[in-house]
Structure formats: structure tokens, C-alpha cells
Amino acid sequence: MTVFHYHATLHFVHKHCRICPSPTEGIFLMSAGTCVAVAASKKSQNLVSHVEDFKDFKKLLRTKTNLLVILTKSEKSLSSILPVIQTTAEEMKGKATLIIIDCSVAKKLCKKLKMSSNSFELKHYHDGEFNRNYDRKLTVKSMIKFLQDPKGDIPWDEDPEAENIVHVESEQKLNKMLKKQRLPMLLMFYAPWCGFCKRLKPEFSAAATELKGKAILAGLDADNPQFFQLRLQYNITGFPTIFYFENGKSLFQYGGENTRSGIVKWMSNPTPPKEAEKDASLFDDESNVEPLSKITFDSFLAEHSSVLVMFYAPWCGHCKKMKPEYIEAAATLKEENIDGALAAIDSTQESQISERFKIKGFPTVKYFRNGEYMWDFNERKAADIVSFMKDPKEPPPPPPPEPKWADTESDVHHLTAENFKTILKKKKHSLVMFYAPWCGHCKKAKPEFTEAALQLKDEPKLAICAVDCTEHTSLCTAHDVKGYPTLKYFNYGKNPQDYMGGRTTADFVNFLKSPNAPPTQEPVPKMSPQEEFWLKEVGPSFKDVSLLSSISFDYFISDNPSALVLFYSGKHPDTELMKEFSTTATFLKAGESTDVFAAVDRYADKDLADKFVGSRSHVLKYFKNGEAVSECMGKTVKELSEFIMDPLVDNWHSSSSSNTYNPNAANFKKTLSTNTHVFVAFHVTKCSNCEQIKNEFLTTAEEMVKHKSFAFAAVNCDFNSDLCITEKVKDYPSFKLYKNGKFSQNYSGNNQKNSFVKFLKSFVKEEL
């Protein structure tokens, strides 16, 4: 089935009919030589629109922006849904156009449109381009919803996987349900555009199926204006927001994990959400770095003549990466009796101090002499910090910023919103580069583009032009720029076409001198279905994401030592996450990073996805030297960039010993079976106790490495919740000993290295 949108006219296309103007709109059936109106109402009974084969169809594509095409084997095949089509055309009058093509007559046209073997099928076109096949219910309500937002996701209430979700259609129905319903209920307030909601919906739907008959899981589109009063009543300020109800009364918000198993587990014992733990300070542990606050800041600087202060945020990946270097440098200063002190201040807790020194990013390191700020310090390694503190001198100034392209003398026309139309309408052939100054591909193309402008400077009707999209955002948005650089060809400022040629000076010059000539480069290979899907969802910005399958996966992972892989759902895409993922990949490539981003469709390659992420979708798995070692919880460019700077921050693995593992649900049993004794730590990401105990656990593994029968494993229950439930994990961290592949006993001693070692060595004695 297929659907497409805009301008509510319904035409039957027939190859022997010609186009005639019609004062009003209706439905028309074309037969050989005549066009007979099938009345949608009395107003449309005498109206006939005559459409002539493929040329006439192409004219409709040029003039109708929201076009739904109904292809039918014959007039009889369409009889069952004709009333729906008629009513939809009336309701969407002026907003969408519906046409019917009778393939028993217009055979050539149907062949060009690739009509399937179905009795009828619906295809949608937007702005003259094919959009998608209609995949909704054949009802007036569904068709209207589709034509109002033909590029949007399928409504949740029409998703077949959400059949066990109760979809709240009105405030009255909700109130009625609350009065009658005696089962416990979770009600999700969501918005169709919300990325977090999209990620949660499949998990929520799966939980509804599992809890059917035991609990009600319901969804309410709080973005719908009719629910405005309900949003006020429940104080909905963000999405998704989930409330728990018993006996028709709201008790508290949902407090579990946003996974199927997390929802099912929480519903077995509903409790209010726990207050979120604050990020632990990076320098609360014992070290020679002095933690400062607004109370101690000035007095400490007054007492020490030479001080280096690190302004940081606990969540900052760069700060965490610098921490051990900073601590090591502080220890060296003390050991070698070097004059000076290293201090640190948590900017998230001491905002007044941060504002005083205009801190804009993390980490920021500032040097103070006799209590006065002198200059910033930009080195991050312990040796460099120590060297600086031995003889503090003002660092050389950073290199001057690269001048703007528009401020550099050249023959390139730099366009703005004010001169865009004025310049282009005077040029017969123009090539415009839409770029961003930070874009690596743009920087690479710029000298070739500039040289092409120089060679064409004496051609009055040819122009090489550029638009800075960081300064002229609206201009780039208006021309559908989704990645950088984007090059478009204009003819007297009109009919923009994507430039698909090469990016050398000769390519640009030859193209503008003869735009209609075939490109000299090799033809662009046909895109795969996966590439077409990503292009549709996020635009050309996905070009720096490697799209993998079960065939290419192993080779790619082994060939790239640092890879972040998105296991996504092709059926229910999280477009927002895909866009952020693609943008981050482009940023990294522009910065010449060796990290790579890739994606796998979990439905197209189910076995591969199940191996690494189970039944979950939209999961970011990090691979190091061919092994899956951690998962990324980030969803934005900022969060993804910070993760890739320190991807092993949550990885319980000792680089100095070979007896530590980070298994997942797929390889947990294998890990147990390949070692006589396995001491397992079950932990979660947002757990300050886990982070504090991690070092004790890893140093224990290092000390026990000589005992070949022992191995150490750490399981993150955020990513392996089903496994942790199976292993009866109730608290975090929890420690369990396994022997010969089977559970042996829980560990209940102190969470310190000495206690761990004593406990484990008792099993060494048993073996002896």
C-alpha cells in the first residue's frame, strides 16, 4: 500500500483524456475517449478533469505539492474504498490532491509507476518527488492524518506492534476509563515529534503485551490541543512523562528503567522514583589536588604564590580523561618539592566562581600568581604540567583565527539573503557551494572552487558562488541544505539542481561551461535500500556513517580499532538520534579522528543485532579492537562527542591483566564456562558506589592474575537487564562467584581489595 499528499482534488487518469480546467474538484473516471465524473458530491457531478498519459501525470507532479495516487487494476477493484477516497478528497479540498489511475486502460503509465500485483495501491508524491507508499489504515481518518503530515511517522495508534496499548482519544474517554478500570495503569504523555518518546514506544508496547490482563499501559498524545487542560492538570512540562494509577487515582510518576524488562519489573512492585544522584566530584578522593569552593577559593590563592586551577564538570569526558594526569602532576610537585599547588573547582556546584572567571567550557585551566589571575594553561599531560610549574611563563598566544572566506580576496561571489537573487538572476549558469567554515570537506574543496572562479572571471554569464550556512541559516534551510558542502546549480537563479560532479577545478569549470554535458566522472552507483532509508530519514548528512550488514560487519569491526555502532530499527526509526549520530560522525571525520561511526538495521540483520544488543533497538555499542566493550547512553552531538573521547569510562576492564571481561547476555555463559572460577560484579552506570568500588575490583583482578583458574567479569545491568533479573541481582553493586559455569555463592563481605582477595584465596586452598 502507498500514500501521498497535498491539494484535495481527485482525478482518474486516462491516456486518451486531455487536461481541462475545472472550477471545483471531484473524482473522475477515465474511459477510452471520454472522462466520466464519479460524483463526490452534487457540486462535483459535472466536473471532468482530463489527464493524458505520462506527460499529463508529470504536469500534475509539477503543479500539485501534496499528491496521493491511487493505482487500480480496474474500476471494480476500487469499489470497496471509493467512498473513503471521495470523502477524503472533500475533507482535504485545497490541501491535497487525490488522483486515480485505471491500469486496465493506462497500462504504460502504470508500468512506469511500477504498479504491483495488488488490486489497488496508493503512492504519495511531495513537491513532485515520490515520498512513500501509503502504509496506514484505509479509513477517512487515517488518510486525512497522513495527508496532513505525509512525511511523519506512523501514528502510534496505527502501529500494529502497539495493539495492546490503550490509546486515549479524548479527555472524556480517559475519565471514563479511570472510573471503571480496576487494574493498575501506566499512562504515558507523549508528543509525536519527541525523540525520547520514539525510543520508548517499542519498549512500552512490548511491556503492554507482556502485562496484558495484569495491567493497563496507555498512551496520550499531549501535543494534541484538545488535551491542553490535562497537560495543566498533570503539570506536563516535558516528554515522555509517565504516571502510575491505581483505582483511577494518580499515585506517582514512573520510576523504573525505560526498557521492556524495566517496565515489567517495576510494575511488579511500583514505587516512587528515586531522587537522582548528584554527579560525584572528580577530586573527592585522596590526592594532592586541592578541591576548592567559593568559601576557600580566595584564601587558598592568597596562601599559595603559584597555583594552577582546573575548572571542571563531573560529567565532562575531557575532564575525566585529564584527571589522572592532573593528580599525577600534583603528586610529582610534592615529591620533588617544586613550589606551586594544583587545585580544582567543580563549576556545576560553584557557579559564582565560574561566572567570575567567565568559564565557557571544560576543562578550563587558569594560572594564578600571588592571588591574581595571570593566563590560561592549555596542556593536559602530567609532564607538561610539571614542566610549566617549575618555571611558569605565559604561553605563546594561539594562532590567529583563519580569516573568513568572504573576507579573503577572490573571484568567488559570496551570497547573502540580500544579494542572493540579485546576483544569480543575472547569470545564465551558477554553481553555489553551501558550506560551513569548520567543515573538513568544505576546506578541501575551497581552493579548487576558488581557482575555478579565477579561471571563469572573464565569463560574464557564469558564476562561482558560496554561502556560509553558519551565518545565513535561513538561506540554507530554504534550499534544503542538510550536509556540507552542498553544491547546487542555478539557471538565471531558478530551477536549482544538485551538482553531482567531481570536486576539482577542472570539474567545476567544465560543468559551468557545459552544464548539460554528461559528467566526466564515473556514474554514481545505485544506492542500497539501507542508503535510501538513511537519505530519506536524515538527508545526505549520513555520508560519514558506514552502513553495515551481517556480511560486512566482522571485517569492518576488525579493520577499525575504535568504532561506535548504532543498532537501529528500520521499522520504527529514531530520526532525531540518527541525525545527531550522523552529525557527530561528520564532525569527527572533519577533525581527522580515527574513530568511526557505523549502523546496523536490527530488523534486516536480526541475528547480528540479537548477538550484541538482544531485542533492543536504537542501542549504541562501542567496539575496541574488534570487541564490544561498552555502550553509549548519549543521544546528542555533545553527549556522543564526549563519549567517544573516553569510551571506556564505564568499562570495568584492567589493561594490565588478561583475566577481566565485560560480558553481555549473549556471551555470559561462555565466559563462565571457559574459567573454573569467575567472580562477577553486577553494576549500573549511574551508581556512585559502583564507581568507587570499581578500582578495588580491578586491582583484585590484577593481584589474582597468577591464579590461572580465576577470572573476573563485570556486567552492566543497564544494558543487560534480563540477564541481571535471571541472575537474581537486587542491589548495585552485587558480587557473585561462579564455579565450573554455575552459580556458587553470593559475596557479602567488605567491598575492598583485601576482603575480595581473602574471600577468593579460600577457594585456591580448596583446590590445593
Side-chain angles (χ1 to χ4, degrees):
M1 290 252 130
T2 332
V3 181
F4 282 34
H5 35 288
Y6 276 67
H7 294 309
T9 314
L10 186 56
H11 307 275
F12 274 85
V13 182
H14 186 291
K15 66 178 182 178
H16 297 299
C17 293
R18 57 187 180 81
I19 296 176
C20 300
S22 56
T24 58
E25 300 169 300
I27 303 173
F28 305 92
L29 174 63
M30 298 176 9
S31 58
T34 62
C35 296
V36 183
V38 180
S41 67
K42 290 183 178 180
K43 292 182 180 179
S44 60
Q45 279 184 349
N46 298 319
L47 300 176
V48 176
S49 280
H50 303 281
V51 183
E52 189 172 333
D53 62 31
F54 190 61
K55 289 183 180 179
D56 298 333
F57 177 71
K58 289 187 71 174
K59 185 172 182 179
L60 280 173
L61 292 181
R62 291 196 302 271
T63 57
K64 304 300 181 182
T65 60
N66 190 12
L67 181 66
L68 182 61
V69 179
I70 300 98
L71 298 163
T72 179
K73 291 285 186 181
S74 65
E75 178 187 354
K76 185 178 180 181
S77 301
L78 205 61
S79 59
S80 60
I81 66 162
L82 196 55
V84 172
I85 296 171
Q86 293 171 341
T87 306
T88 302
E90 286 292 311
E91 293 291 331
M92 293 299 293
K93 182 178 179 181
K95 299 176 184 177
T97 301
L98 284 74
I99 71 169
I100 298 177
I101 301 176
D102 184 352
C103 293
S104 65
V105 181
K107 295 180 180 178
K108 289 184 179 179
L109 178 55
C110 289
K111 186 176 181 180
K112 286 189 176 183
L113 296 182
K114 298 179 180 179
M115 167 66 173
S116 69
S117 59
N118 298 327
S119 298
F120 59 84
E121 117 181 40
L122 289 74
K123 296 178 179 287
H124 183 263
Y125 294 78
H126 181 259
D127 289 336
E129 298 290 335
F130 174 75
N131 175 33
R132 63 201 288 186
N133 288 328
Y134 182 77
D135 55 359
R136 311 285 175 80
K137 296 177 181 177
L138 294 172
T139 65
V140 173
K141 179 182 175 182
S142 294
M143 279 195 182
I144 290 175
K145 272 189 177 182
F146 175 84
L147 290 170
Q148 288 172 337
D149 183 18
K151 293 200 171 187
D153 296 329
I154 185 171
W156 201 14
D157 57 358
E158 291 193 31
D159 186 344
E161 294 187 10
E163 61 181 359
N164 292 309
I165 296 289
V166 175
H167 299 282
V168 179
E169 296 180 351
S170 68
E171 185 174 351
Q172 292 76 16
K173 288 189 176 181
L174 175 62
N175 291 334
K176 186 177 180 181
M177 183 169 64
L178 292 177
K179 285 180 181 180
K180 290 186 175 182
Q181 189 54 252
R182 290 296 170 260
L183 290 175
M185 181 176 80
L186 276 184
L187 174 61
M188 184 204 295
F189 292 85
Y190 69 93
W193 46 262
C194 160
F196 293 104
C197 305
K198 292 177 183 178
R199 288 194 286 276
L200 179 55
K201 283 176 181 178
E203 305 291 337
F204 205 70
S205 299
T209 301
E210 190 165 336
L211 292 169
K212 187 176 181 180
K214 301 175 184 177
I216 299 295
L217 270 65
L220 185 150
D221 180 1
D223 204 40
N224 191 319
Q226 69 164 317
F227 293 122
F228 179 72
Q229 290 301 323
L230 280 178
R231 285 184 65 170
L232 292 178
Q233 179 183 337
Y234 290 96
N235 191 30
I236 305 299
T237 57
F239 304 109
T241 298
I242 306 174
F243 279 95
Y244 175 70
F245 291 79
E246 278 187 9
N247 298 318
K249 293 183 179 180
S250 171
L251 298 186
F252 37 75
Q253 288 194 30
Y254 173 68
E257 298 175 7
N258 291 337
T259 62
R260 175 198 58 78
S261 58
I263 294 168
V264 172
K265 180 181 177 181
W266 187 87
M267 286 296 286
S268 66
N269 182 28
T271 54
K274 296 178 181 178
E275 187 174 343
E277 294 180 1
K278 293 182 179 179
D279 289 314
S281 170
L282 286 186
F283 297 97
D284 276 349
D285 51 350
E286 292 184 8
S287 72
N288 294 297
V289 176
E290 181 69 23
L292 300 180
S293 68
K294 64 182 178 182
I295 298 172
T296 61
F297 187 84
D298 291 313
S299 60
F300 184 82
L301 295 184
E303 293 168 4
H304 298 78
S305 60
S306 178
V307 183
L308 205 58
V309 180
M310 174 180 170
F311 293 80
Y312 71 92
W315 46 259
C316 162
H318 297 287
C319 304
K320 292 175 182 177
K321 193 170 185 178
M322 181 179 175
K323 173 186 172 181
E325 301 285 341
Y326 203 61
I327 291 175
E328 181 184 338
T332 303
L333 293 183
K334 185 177 180 179
E335 291 169 6
E336 299 183 9
N337 200 26
I338 298 170
D339 183 34
L342 300 191
I345 187 164
D346 182 349
S347 293
T348 64
Q349 300 296 320
E350 307 294 346
S351 57
Q352 290 181 357
I353 300 293
S354 297
E355 289 170 7
R356 174 175 154 189
F357 290 99
K358 298 180 173 57
I359 303 302
K360 303 293 185 185
F362 305 114
T364 294
V365 184
K366 293 182 178 289
Y367 177 69
F368 295 82
R369 178 180 291 156
N370 297 323
E372 292 189 10
Y373 163 68
M374 301 303 293
W375 50 71
D376 280 8
F377 179 73
N378 296 314
E379 299 298 331
R380 299 289 184 262
K381 295 296 183 182
D384 295 324
I385 297 170
V386 172
S387 177
F388 170 80
M389 292 301 287
K390 286 180 179 179
D391 184 19
K393 291 180 180 179
E394 184 173 6
E402 185 179 343
K404 292 183 179 179
W405 193 7
D407 295 338
T408 305
E409 186 175 347
S410 74
D411 295 291
V412 176
H413 297 274
H414 291 277
L415 306 181
T416 66
E418 289 72 31
N419 67 11
F420 188 87
K421 291 182 179 178
T422 306
I423 291 177
L424 293 188
K425 72 179 183 181
K426 297 177 183 178
K427 305 295 182 179
K428 183 177 182 180
H429 303 306
S430 301
L431 190 59
V432 180
M433 180 194 292
F434 295 87
Y435 72 97
W438 47 259
C439 159
H441 296 292
C442 306
K443 291 177 181 178
K444 188 175 180 180
K446 189 168 79 170
E448 302 287 337
F449 207 62
T450 303
E451 178 62 25
L454 176 63
Q455 293 186 20
L456 295 171
K457 69 177 183 177
D458 296 325
E459 300 283 349
K461 290 297 182 181
L462 308 182
I464 292 284
C465 310
V467 177
D468 183 347
C469 290
T470 64
E471 292 191 359
H472 307 289
T473 309
S474 59
L475 198 57
C476 297
T477 302
H479 288 87
D480 198 31
V481 175
K482 296 177 179 177
Y484 306 118
T486 293
L487 292 103
K488 290 182 179 283
Y489 163 76
F490 291 80
N491 176 232
Y492 289 114
K494 297 180 179 179
N495 304 319
Q497 302 289 329
D498 288 337
Y499 170 75
M500 303 301 290
R503 293 187 181 178
T504 66
T505 297
D507 291 324
F508 297 139
V509 170
N510 292 337
F511 173 80
L512 277 181
K513 286 184 175 180
S514 183
N516 296 321
T520 55
Q521 68 175 74
E522 295 182 8
V524 178
K526 184 180 179 181
M527 287 194 294
S528 68
Q530 199 177 10
E531 289 173 323
E532 290 179 347
F533 173 78
W534 275 74
L535 182 64
K536 179 171 108 32
E537 292 297 322
V538 305
S541 62
F542 81 91
K543 64 185 183 301
D544 295 315
V545 175
S546 299
L547 304 180
L548 307 179
S549 67
S550 55
I551 298 173
S552 60
F553 185 85
D554 289 340
Y555 174 79
F556 180 88
I557 293 300
S558 62
D559 201 43
N560 292 279
S562 177
L564 186 60
V565 181
L566 170 60
F567 289 87
Y568 67 95
S569 166
K571 292 184 178 179
H572 306 286
D574 184 343
T575 304
E576 185 177 332
L577 175 59
M578 292 167 67
K579 287 180 178 177
E580 297 288 293
F581 189 73
S582 300
T583 303
T584 310
T586 299
F587 284 164
L588 290 173
K589 188 170 183 179
E592 299 183 356
S593 170
T594 57
D595 304 296
V596 295
F597 279 35
V600 172
D601 182 351
R602 71 151 296 103
Y603 286 101
D605 291 283
K606 186 176 183 300
D607 291 343
L608 178 63
D610 287 347
K611 176 181 177 182
F612 291 106
V613 298
S615 61
R616 296 175 294 152
S617 296
H618 314 303
V619 178
L620 293 158
K621 181 74 74 172
Y622 177 71
F623 291 79
K624 183 74 172 177
N625 296 324
E627 296 290 332
V629 294
S630 63
E631 290 190 12
C632 173
M633 305 300 287
K635 304 298 180 186
T636 66
V637 171
K638 176 177 179 291
E639 293 168 346
L640 293 170
S641 300
E642 286 176 353
F643 172 84
I644 209 67
M645 289 296 296
D646 195 5
L648 303 182
V649 66
D650 188 52
N651 184 40
W652 289 41
H653 183 78
S654 173
S655 59
S656 59
S657 64
S658 58
N659 64 341
T660 53
Y661 304 89
N662 291 122
N664 55 32
N667 59 18
F668 182 72
K669 289 185 177 180
K670 182 180 179 181
T671 302
L672 299 183
S673 64
T674 53
N675 298 277
T676 304
H677 295 98
V678 183
F679 191 45
V680 182
F682 294 90
H683 64 100
V684 290
T685 305
K686 295 292 185 180
C687 164
S688 57
N689 288 336
C690 302
E691 192 61 29
Q692 292 168 9
I693 295 167
K694 179 167 94 171
N695 188 56
E696 301 288 332
F697 182 79
L698 295 178
T699 53
T700 302
E702 291 170 9
E703 183 161 328
M704 295 290 292
V705 71
K706 59 186 178 183
H707 299 287
K708 301 300 182 182
S709 66
F710 276 85
F712 292 75
V715 175
N716 190 323
C717 293
D718 282 335
F719 313 135
N720 301 282
S721 54
D722 289 345
L723 172 61
C724 294
I725 291 171
T726 302
E727 298 303 316
K728 300 179 181 178
V729 177
K730 297 180 179 179
D731 299 301
Y732 304 112
S734 287
F735 298 91
K736 296 175 182 286
L737 180 68
Y738 294 80
K739 185 175 180 180
N740 297 323
K742 296 181 180 181
F743 171 75
S744 175
Q745 67 183 85
N746 290 311
Y747 171 77
S748 57
N750 293 327
N751 293 330
Q752 295 177 347
K753 186 187 81 168
N754 292 339
S755 298
F756 287 148
V757 170
K758 183 178 179 181
F759 169 75
L760 295 172
K761 282 190 174 180
S762 67
F763 293 92
V764 176
K765 293 177 182 176
E766 284 180 13
E767 289 184 343
L768 296 175

